[in-house]
């Protein structure tokens, strides 16, 4: 009787391993990281920094948004709901009736618009160290949406087109009227 040798053909094993690898690569889903796309402003030169330090920002020009560790909002000193934040921010940024408690408007020469009132409003966002990242992103999205909707309305009114379809110079003109200024303070314990 012949005894089998200690060798065996391993080629089919490599094929099976390769097929399993392909199966797991195709069947696996990857979590997509959420984040915020922002273009940082250029670094100011020494003269600009001195001017900024000497400038006092009036309280009426600041829209204060606080998020505590329980993910609750405090907007302009009052409790607020995330569902109302965008409309509150739009009202603040646009200040359509030039209200004394909303930001000042500065008349500037803007291409395509001529002499136009531009907002001096700044949105100040501060969150607690315990604020969830999800709530932080929701607040950022609402504030960004407020700016985007105002820009979209102005683009449609002035040019009859979507903001995203405008030429770069036209977008820049709208950005000058509604500059997106969201100032973020260092996270701290905001409180309840």
């Amino acid at each position: 009787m012949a005894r089998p040798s200690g060798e065996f053909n391993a080629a089919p094993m490599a094929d099976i391993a390769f097929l399993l690898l392909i199966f797991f690569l195709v069947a696996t889903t990857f979590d997509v990281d959420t984040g915020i796309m922002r273009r940082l402003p250029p670094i100011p030169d020494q003269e600009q920094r001195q001017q900024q330090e000497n400038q006092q920002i009036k309280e009426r020009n600041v829209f204060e948004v606080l998020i505590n560790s329980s993910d609750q909002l405090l907007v302009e000193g009052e409790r607020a709901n995330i569902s109302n934040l965008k409309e509150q921010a739009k009202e603040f940024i646009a200040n359509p009736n030039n209200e004394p408690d909303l930001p000042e408007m500065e008349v500037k020469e803007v291409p395509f618009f001529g002499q136009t009132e531009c907002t001096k409003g700044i949105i100040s966002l501060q969150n607690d160290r315990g604020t969830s990242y999800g709530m932080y992103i929701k607040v950022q999205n609402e504030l960004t949406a407020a700016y985007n909707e105002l820009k979209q309305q102005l683009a449609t009114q002035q040019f009859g087109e979507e903001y995203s379809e405008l030429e770069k110079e036209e977008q820049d003109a709208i950005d000058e009227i509604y500059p997106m200024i969201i100032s973020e303070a260092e996270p701290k314990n905001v409180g309840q």
Side-chain angles (χ1 to χ4, degrees):
M1 205 154 113
R3 212 165 169 200
S5 66
E7 296 177 23
F8 67 94
N9 187 2
M13 294 297 280
D15 291 341
I16 291 172
F18 183 68
L19 288 172
L20 284 172
L21 177 66
I22 290 174
F23 171 76
F24 285 114
L25 286 175
V26 170
T28 303
T29 59
F30 296 98
D31 287 337
V32 178
D33 291 336
T34 57
I36 302 170
M37 296 296 293
R38 287 281 195 291
R39 184 178 65 214
L40 296 176
I43 297 173
D45 60 23
Q46 186 65 26
E47 184 179 319
Q48 287 175 325
R49 275 185 279 201
Q50 287 175 346
Q51 287 175 350
Q52 289 172 351
E53 288 171 5
N54 294 336
Q55 254 182 353
Q56 288 289 335
I57 298 174
K58 294 182 181 176
E59 189 175 321
R60 76 179 269 192
N61 292 337
V62 178
F63 183 73
E64 191 174 60
V65 179
L66 302 173
I67 314 169
N68 69 12
S69 60
S70 302
D71 290 345
Q72 296 170 328
L73 285 179
L74 193 64
V75 176
E76 292 291 288
E78 297 180 14
R79 287 192 183 256
N81 193 322
I82 189 80
S83 61
N84 302 331
L85 182 60
K86 179 174 61 174
E87 291 306 317
Q88 289 176 302
K90 281 173 60 175
E91 179 71 21
F92 172 82
I93 298 162
N95 190 6
N97 301 321
N98 209 5
E99 299 288 335
D101 58 332
L102 295 177
E104 296 174 289
M105 302 304 274
E106 178 181 24
V107 177
K108 291 183 182 179
E109 181 67 34
V110 180
F112 306 104
F113 292 90
Q115 293 286 324
T116 305
E117 289 186 333
C118 302
T119 185
K120 286 184 159 185
I122 297 170
I123 295 179
S124 173
L125 174 61
Q126 185 166 28
N127 58 294
D128 190 277
R129 285 188 175 91
T131 301
S132 72
Y133 188 68
M135 183 60 167
Y136 173 78
I137 293 292
K138 286 178 187 176
V139 169
Q140 282 282 354
N141 285 342
E142 291 299 310
L143 296 175
T144 302
Y147 279 105
N148 290 342
E149 283 185 18
L150 288 170
K151 290 178 181 186
Q152 181 61 42
Q153 289 170 357
L154 188 56
T156 305
Q157 176 186 349
Q158 181 71 18
F159 302 108
E161 292 185 44
E162 300 280 321
Y163 175 81
S164 61
E165 295 173 3
L166 297 177
E167 298 293 325
K168 172 107 172 74
E169 298 81 20
E170 295 167 336
Q171 288 181 351
D172 290 344
I174 291 175
D175 291 344
E176 193 170 338
I177 295 170
Y178 294 126
M180 186 183 298
I181 304 173
I182 301 175
S183 171
E184 292 190 51
E186 178 95 16
K188 64 178 186 178
N189 294 330
V190 174
Q192 302 294 330

